Amino acid sequence: MSLFGSVKRFGLREQFVTVVSLVIIASMLIIGGYLIKRQSEIYTNELEKRGQALVANLAYNAEYGVILESTTELENLIKGVARANDIIFVKILTIDGRVLAETGSESYANAKIKGKPEESALTTGRFQKTDYIAANGSDFMELSYPVETVRQTASRENLGSIYDYSSGENSYVREVIGEVRIGLTYSNLSREVTKSQTASILLTFIVVLSAIILMTAFVRIITRPIESLVEVTDQISKGDLTKTVDINRSDEIGLLAESFNRMIESLKKSQDEIEEYNRNLEEKIIERTRELEEAQTQLIQSEKMVAIGQLAAGVAHELNNPLGGILGYAQFTLEKIQNKCADNISDKDIESYKRYLRDIETQSRRCKAIVQNLLKFSRTSQTVKFDDVDVNAVVEDTLTFVEHQLMMNQITLVKNLDPSLPKIKGHPSQLQQVFTNIIINAMHASNPGSEVTLTTRFAPPLGEFNGTVEIAVVDSGKGIREEHLKKIFEPFFTTKDIGKGTGLGLSVSYGIIKEHGGEIRVKSKLGEETTFTVIVPVEKITCSADN
Ligand SMILES: Nc1ncnc2c1ncn2[C@@H]1O[C@H](COP(=O)(O)OP(=O)(O)OP(=O)(O)O)[C@@H](O)[C@H]1O
Ligand SMILES: [Mg+2]
């Protein structure tokens, strides 16, 4: 992560102080470095100039000492010079390199030249400067200056005559007769540079420290109001609009606080309006819900009336036909018996009475079946006690009842019973009634020679059910028309011929399965197949008697 990346993780104050401190440190180091470099350059130049003046002066004064090779005079001469600041050695040499006088040069005998070696002052006849590094590691400069003298060269004509300067006929040449070398140490310079560096670092430290203290105080003045703004914003986000920002300043932060407080004020106003609106809305909803409930109660009441009316009409219609027949046959038989004396009743008459009575019996049975189914229908609304039920066993029991009828109608029943079916909570005989009706319906819809498949299986948790048992009956019969699909569970809906079905089977089954907390699903393709699936939860979930 970059430096700025990590700085961003701190607060505003830390970010500001860090960045400004870094800038100050960098500036101080650059300025300090530049000043130290300049200072050492000036010092070196000064040293060199002083050394140059010294060495030139010494060379001038050493002329006669070198000519006369007077060691004593030259040693006296260099003693005075050697006492000067920064001088580490002084040497006077003849033109052929013999040392006439020297002081302090022994320690610098093995010094190494720094950079390119310069030509000697003896050869160039000029001032020379060479930088050296001593055996002890300290730097010094060696300045050399030629010792010159003036020699007269007389003309051929004047040879042997008395020397006359004013005549101007003799010429003078400068001649190098020796060399003066002095060593100047840089150690004082290094000491000064070190001092300056220390002072500069100390100054940087003091400046940075003062800057940090000042900036922290200054940034605090800025960030404190921001912190209180953040605090109030936090309260607002939690829904508390009672707090305001308390900043009495006339600068931009003060203006920000003012507009922030105005914003809180208008937010509070809007919130109050919304709350008022919500209260009204709630009241309206309660009012509407109450109206709706009333309307629903009325609707249910009227639906109940319609249902009772339909039921009554259905029952009346269903019972009317057989009762009409019964009445007719009974009146007819009675009339015949009244018109004839007991002796006149022939065998033929008795046969026809028997036929009438059988018809009466058939129609009475039909009435009885209708009434029984009605009774069953009404019984589903009563609470019954549920036990643990093995659905496979109930299926097997059902099949013993219907097997004979299936055989008579040449229908083969294929069983796929899941042996690992869990027990459910239910009422065995009611469930048997449901299975019987569904199997008989499938049988009625199927053509002779076809198959009806009955499958039981344990279905994993689904929707509201924790686990269910499914009983599916599939036939490849005539199927159910789309428009009939939503009617088949209605009481008295039947497509069967009179006398074959009452139309109560599925509505009774529906009530029973609802009572078990389950449901019946139908899937049908006209002319191809129909599947009735009974789903019963392993644990009964709802036990509403009204369903
Ligand atoms: N497997 C099926 N295939 C085709 N139609 C069916 C099937 N099962 C039910 N139906 C249709 O649903 C109608 C209603 O069935 P329901 O069992 O309620 O009455 P029903 O069988 O006609 O008379 P009940 O069962 O009272 O003797 C049937 O008349 C039939 O039209
Ligand atoms: Mg039926």
Side-chain angles (χ1 to χ4, degrees):
M1 191 188 280
S2 70
L3 176 67
F4 283 100
S6 32
V7 165
K8 270 190 220 161
R9 281 185 293 139
F10 298 116
L12 204 60
R13 196 181 312 162
E14 289 80 4
Q15 286 182 37
F16 189 75
V17 171
T18 313
V19 171
V20 175
S21 303
L22 286 175
V23 170
I24 291 175
I25 291 172
S27 321
M28 291 296 285
L29 289 179
I30 290 167
I31 294 169
Y34 174 74
L35 288 179
I36 290 166
K37 193 168 167 274
R38 276 294 298 148
Q39 189 196 12
S40 76
E41 273 171 14
I42 291 167
Y43 192 95
T44 311
N45 281 341
E46 280 301 314
L47 197 66
E48 196 180 318
K49 269 186 200 155
R50 197 154 55 86
Q52 195 175 351
L54 259 174
V55 78
N57 194 28
L58 197 58
Y60 179 75
N61 289 324
E63 183 184 348
Y64 289 106
V66 173
I67 292 170
L68 299 172
E69 296 196 359
S70 165
T71 317
T72 330
E73 190 189 333
L74 290 175
E75 271 173 1
N76 282 336
L77 193 66
I78 63 173
K79 255 182 213 155
V81 177
R83 275 199 293 272
N85 255 354
D86 303 319
I87 305 281
I88 48 171
F89 65 82
V90 185
K91 239 182 196 179
I92 299 175
L93 304 103
T94 59
I95 187 136
D96 49 9
R98 265 182 306 116
V99 179
L100 292 175
E102 73 174 314
T103 173
S105 60
E106 311 78 38
S107 330
Y108 300 93
N110 296 323
K112 281 194 191 114
I113 294 177
K114 256 169 94 180
K116 222 165 74 202
E118 294 283 339
E119 272 188 90
S120 149
L122 287 173
T123 26
T124 59
R126 283 196 318 270
F127 167 77
Q128 289 297 334
K129 179 197 160 201
T130 316
D131 278 319
Y132 280 90
I133 190 160
N136 64 4
S138 65
D139 292 336
F140 69 91
M141 64 168 95
E142 188 189 74
L143 305 179
S144 64
Y145 207 89
V147 180
E148 290 174 325
T149 189
V150 180
R151 215 182 277 282
Q152 184 188 29
T153 51
S155 60
R156 194 175 282 274
E157 297 88 64
N158 291 335
L159 277 175
S161 67
I162 292 164
Y163 179 67
D164 180 10
Y165 285 106
S166 58
S167 67
E169 288 178 0
N170 294 314
S171 51
Y172 300 91
V173 286
R174 298 191 70 82
E175 186 187 338
V176 176
I177 54 165
E179 185 191 8
V180 175
R181 288 184 195 171
I182 64 167
L184 289 167
T185 178
Y186 282 109
S187 60
N188 285 340
L189 168 70
S190 309
R191 241 192 324 277
E192 288 304 313
V193 169
T194 313
K195 263 192 213 163
S196 299
Q197 276 173 347
T198 316
S200 154
I201 289 169
L202 203 70
L203 197 68
T204 308
F205 180 73
I206 291 168
V207 169
V208 170
L209 198 72
S210 332
I212 288 175
I213 294 167
L214 282 174
M215 276 185 304
T216 312
F218 177 67
V219 174
R220 214 177 153 68
I221 295 171
I222 299 172
T223 54
R224 188 176 275 170
I226 295 175
E227 277 167 10
S228 76
L229 274 172
V230 170
E231 208 175 288
V232 175
T233 315
D234 202 34
Q235 296 289 333
I236 291 172
S237 72
K238 284 176 190 154
D240 181 6
L241 294 175
T242 53
K243 294 239 161 52
T244 50
V245 187
D246 187 21
I247 300 168
N248 286 321
R249 282 163 63 152
S250 52
D251 56 7
E252 286 83 350
I253 291 174
L255 290 174
L256 178 67
E258 244 174 59
S259 70
F260 199 80
N261 284 342
R262 273 201 302 280
M263 186 192 78
I264 296 174
E265 193 62 38
S266 68
L267 263 176
K268 212 149 101 188
K269 218 169 133 197
S270 313
Q271 198 190 37
D272 289 347
E273 278 171 16
I274 291 170
E275 268 171 16
E276 179 64 30
Y277 185 75
N278 273 352
R279 256 196 306 280
N280 288 344
L281 201 69
E282 234 167 83
E283 277 168 17
K284 273 185 190 152
I285 289 171
I286 292 169
E287 175 76 6
R288 288 277 182 280
T289 314
R290 200 179 46 75
E291 282 173 17
L292 262 173
E293 275 171 1
E294 269 175 23
Q296 201 184 20
T297 320
Q298 281 174 6
L299 204 69
I300 291 169
Q301 193 58 32
S302 57
E303 262 182 17
K304 268 188 188 164
M305 296 308 286
V306 171
I308 289 170
Q310 275 180 352
L311 193 72
V315 173
H317 179 261
E318 286 298 312
L319 289 178
N320 196 38
N321 288 343
L323 281 175
I326 292 166
L327 189 67
Y329 287 123
Q331 283 173 340
F332 191 61
T333 315
L334 196 66
E335 211 174 281
K336 279 212 164 179
I337 292 172
Q338 274 172 350
N339 289 345
K340 293 199 174 182
C341 335
D343 306 338
N344 286 346
I345 296 171
S346 64
D347 285 349
K348 197 180 153 218
D349 287 335
I350 288 178
E351 264 321 299
S352 62
Y353 295 156
K354 274 185 187 169
R355 209 174 62 240
Y356 297 150
L357 284 172
R358 265 198 295 274
D359 283 341
I360 288 171
E361 189 192 11
T362 312
Q363 298 298 347
S364 304
R365 279 188 197 285
R366 192 161 166 228
C367 289
K368 192 181 169 202
I370 291 168
V371 172
Q372 268 176 345
N373 270 338
L374 271 173
L375 273 176
K376 281 176 197 166
F377 188 66
S378 61
R379 217 175 285 142
T380 54
S381 348
Q382 292 162 8
T383 315
V384 282
K385 200 173 162 285
F386 282 179
D387 289 322
D388 285 341
V389 177
D390 176 358
V391 171
N392 283 343
V394 176
V395 168
E396 294 286 10
D397 286 351
T398 311
L399 291 181
T400 56
F401 284 114
V402 295
E403 241 162 19
H404 179 70
Q405 290 191 61
L406 289 168
M407 202 179 69
M408 294 294 286
N409 286 275
Q410 297 165 37
I411 305 292
T412 319
L413 191 117
V414 182
K415 286 185 291 181
N416 294 319
L417 305 186
D418 180 353
S420 62
L421 222 52
K423 288 204 164 136
I424 61 151
K425 286 270 177 234
H427 196 274
S429 64
Q430 283 190 347
L431 290 171
Q432 196 175 324
Q433 191 184 330
V434 173
F435 302 154
T436 309
N437 181 53
I438 292 174
I439 296 167
I440 295 296
N441 281 353
M443 183 191 82
H444 281 156
S446 301
N447 293 320
S450 55
E451 275 182 359
V452 170
T453 313
L454 192 150
T455 313
T456 59
R457 76 174 187 112
F458 174 57
L462 172 78
E464 61 190 296
F465 300 133
N466 295 329
T468 56
V469 166
E470 282 184 14
I471 307 98
V473 177
V474 186
D475 69 71
S476 48
K478 58 185 177 188
I480 306 170
R481 286 178 185 283
E482 183 80 37
E483 64 269 26
H484 287 168
L485 267 177
K486 47 186 182 292
K487 287 187 178 171
I488 55 174
F489 292 101
E490 285 177 9
F492 299 115
F493 175 81
T494 181
T495 54
K496 292 173 189 171
D497 295 337
I498 296 170
K500 269 208 158 180
T502 60
L504 284 170
L506 280 179
S507 58
V508 172
S509 303
Y510 179 85
I512 291 171
I513 296 304
K514 272 277 161 198
E515 186 90 334
H516 281 74
E519 57 185 68
I520 303 176
R521 292 180 188 165
V522 197
K523 231 168 55 188
S524 184
K525 261 193 187 161
L526 200 65
E528 285 183 30
E529 66 164 37
T530 304
T531 308
F532 273 82
T533 313
V534 177
I535 301 166
V536 199
V538 175
E539 284 294 321
K540 191 181 159 218
I541 290 168
T542 49
C543 185
S544 166
D546 299 334
N547 284 334

